[in-house]
Amino acid sequence: MHVERLLGRALNSFDLPDALVERLDSALAHASSLHSSHHSAALHRVTYRHTYLLADGSSLSLWELVHNTGRDGREQHELYTDETDVRLAASRLPIGRSGPDVELDVDLDADLELLGALLTLPTAPAPVVYVPDDSADHARRVLRRAENPDRPGEAVAARLRGAFAHHIKQVFGRQCGVAGKDAGFALYEHAFLLMDGSEMSVWEVEHTATPDGRHMCEVYEDEHTAREAMERRARVRGRVR
């Protein structure tokens, strides 16, 4: 089981709250995403986010820091429950200046999630739980990272500046072959609760169906258009379901 392997290899897994570990026992599916990577002559450091879908319909994330500071350059693994904590731990690692230092940090704002599909879902849809967490800024970042020419315009951006809570849901994810290469596709709904009491969603497509395999984000105003965009990118017949 993925979570057991994750806990088993972490040096500090004993620091995780018992209640959190117990919640992970009900995990139905998981998705892992690369968030940052640093490589220099002295240090290789990578950060991942592991997100688990739980039986009650909620999700839980763990942040994993992997670095080569063990004896003889062996890999070490650490786990954290908060992004701030893992970034602080990463910053404390010695970078060193003995050779070329190439910084490959992925923009954390982009929230890169090259995920496999969450294959097991709850038997009944869980109610949407909106979380007030800098939601207007989250909306701004989602729209900012969109690379498609037909992304939502200023009218949508203006409405989302009034967002005070939001909810993120992955509704599709899979790997497939595109032009002889593997490519990952994921579709997310970013749902927002606005100050006037109304609700509004934008739909984000993340994929690697690019000529060089680079990760790309596209954002659309409705699910139908987002799924059509995935179909075009995947070059497959029929609707993606």
Side-chain angles (χ1 to χ4, degrees):
M1 185 176 180
H2 180 269
V3 68
E4 293 176 350
R5 295 195 301 270
L6 191 66
L7 294 172
R9 69 193 181 212
L11 297 175
N12 63 335
S13 58
F14 55 85
D15 288 334
L16 298 177
D18 292 340
L20 180 143
V21 176
E22 290 175 1
R23 289 187 66 201
L24 287 171
D25 287 340
S26 71
L28 300 174
H30 76 276
S32 299
S33 58
L34 172 68
H35 266 263
S36 68
S37 176
H38 170 93
H39 298 276
S40 69
L43 175 69
H44 290 184
R45 183 195 72 214
V46 183
T47 304
Y48 299 94
R49 189 177 77 174
H50 304 281
T51 301
Y52 296 89
L53 178 66
L54 306 184
D56 62 3
S58 64
S59 62
L60 188 155
S61 291
L62 291 177
W63 299 81
E64 183 181 26
L65 176 63
V66 184
H67 52 87
N68 65 332
T69 62
R71 180 178 297 179
D72 299 325
R74 292 180 182 175
E75 273 194 352
Q76 304 288 320
H77 298 256
E78 302 173 25
L79 281 179
Y80 298 89
T81 59
D82 185 84
E83 180 184 0
T84 301
D85 292 338
V86 76
R87 295 183 73 174
L88 179 61
S91 70
R92 290 173 174 169
L93 295 175
I95 294 178
R97 297 294 176 184
S98 57
D101 186 354
V102 180
E103 185 66 37
L104 301 175
D105 280 340
V106 178
D107 180 5
L108 291 183
D109 287 346
D111 195 20
L112 305 184
E113 298 197 56
L114 303 181
L115 306 175
L118 297 180
L119 299 178
T120 307
L121 298 175
T123 55
V128 175
V129 178
Y130 287 100
V131 178
D133 184 18
D134 235 352
S135 299
D137 186 61
H138 174 76
R140 179 187 61 80
R141 287 186 280 113
V142 170
L143 297 179
R144 183 185 67 186
R145 64 183 177 239
E147 298 185 50
N148 52 307
D150 53 345
R151 59 187 177 273
E154 177 55 31
V156 171
R159 286 196 67 196
L160 290 178
R161 284 196 283 270
F164 73 92
H166 69 280
H167 173 82
I168 307 170
K169 178 183 177 182
Q170 181 181 4
V171 296
F172 176 83
R174 90 171 191 198
Q175 298 287 125
C176 66
V178 176
K181 299 179 180 179
D182 287 336
F185 289 86
L187 174 63
Y188 299 90
E189 179 186 12
H190 299 263
F192 297 90
L193 186 61
L194 308 184
M195 293 295 291
D196 61 6
S198 62
E199 299 173 286
M200 181 179 182
S201 292
V202 294
W203 300 81
E204 181 178 26
V205 175
E206 295 185 347
H207 66 85
T208 55
T210 51
D212 58 357
R214 178 182 64 87
H215 177 270
M216 181 177 182
C217 294
E218 304 176 15
V219 178
Y220 298 90
E221 293 186 45
D222 61 83
E223 182 179 6
H224 176 75
T225 305
R227 287 183 177 272
E228 284 190 336
M230 282 197 299
E231 291 173 6
R232 289 196 302 271
R233 290 289 184 181
R235 301 174 187 172
V236 297
R237 294 180 180 177
R239 296 195 56 78
V240 177
R241 300 186 182 277

